[in-house]
Amino acid sequence: MSKVKIVIHIVFGTKFRRTTIPEECRRDVYKIIYNKLKDEGCFVHRINGTSNHVHILFELPASAALSELIRTIKATSSAALKAEPAFKYWEGWAKEYFAESVAPEDIPRVKQYIINQETHHGLISYEDEMSTYYNRRHWIFKPEYLD
């Protein structure tokens, strides 16, 4: 029998990095995303973020295509948020996303990093965080990737 464990850390932001996720409503956003991931057969380790972006750590089923799954998550959650009065400034998610595989032994560290998003972003902006991610991987970073 085939066995597959693909753990993914994904980050995507709001359109134009605008602060359109009110603090008091973030759990609602995470619940929508969590439920969609669960419906798609994913095991979710952690979701958290700030007013302008979300981090998700989850296990990707072997039969799923990452890009299609992310498209579905964004579309489903964006439609749900547009229908909620609490998200009156909601414009949608940015087009791009960041994703990386995570070794099983690194899951606790990445989970803790995601848990500490509010504290972390008191020290560093979302743009600086993503620039650091890109630079560590020797990728070219352009701020417009976050729009």
Side-chain angles (χ1 to χ4, degrees), residues 90-137:
W90 181 254
E91 297 177 87
W93 296 111
K95 188 171 103 171
E96 305 294 336
Y97 61 89
F98 169 87
E100 67 179 344
S101 59
V102 175
E105 61 271 16
D106 290 331
I107 291 171
R109 179 186 55 79
V110 176
K111 278 174 73 171
Q112 194 60 47
Y113 177 78
I114 293 172
I115 288 167
N116 290 328
Q117 280 299 290
E118 290 86 1
T119 302
H120 176 70
H121 286 290
L123 305 171
I124 185 172
S125 71
Y126 171 45
E127 185 175 321
D128 289 343
E129 174 184 52
M130 295 312 297
S131 176
T132 299
Y133 279 165
Y134 276 66
N135 290 333
R136 283 184 190 155
R137 287 146 189 86

Side-chain angles (χ1 to χ4, degrees), residues 61-110:
S63 60
L66 180 63
S67 61
E68 183 60 27
L69 178 66
I70 294 169
R71 188 197 64 74
T72 300
I73 293 165
K74 287 180 170 184
T76 301
S77 59
S78 191
L81 296 177
K82 283 181 182 176
E84 289 294 324
F87 293 90
K88 61 184 173 185
Y89 300 111
W90 181 254
E91 297 177 87
W93 296 111
K95 188 171 103 171
E96 305 294 336
Y97 61 89
F98 169 87
E100 67 179 344
S101 59
V102 175
E105 61 271 16
D106 290 331
I107 291 171
R109 179 186 55 79
V110 176

Side-chain angles (χ1 to χ4, degrees), residues 2 5 7 11 20 28 33 43 55 58 68 71 76-77 82-83 92 99 102 104 120-121 128 133 140:
S2 299
K5 185 172 187 100
V7 182
V11 184
T20 54
D28 298 329
I33 294 171
F43 176 81
H55 288 255
F58 68 99
E68 183 60 27
R71 188 197 64 74
T76 301
S77 59
K82 283 181 182 176
V102 175
H120 176 70
H121 286 290
D128 289 343
Y133 279 165
I140 294 170

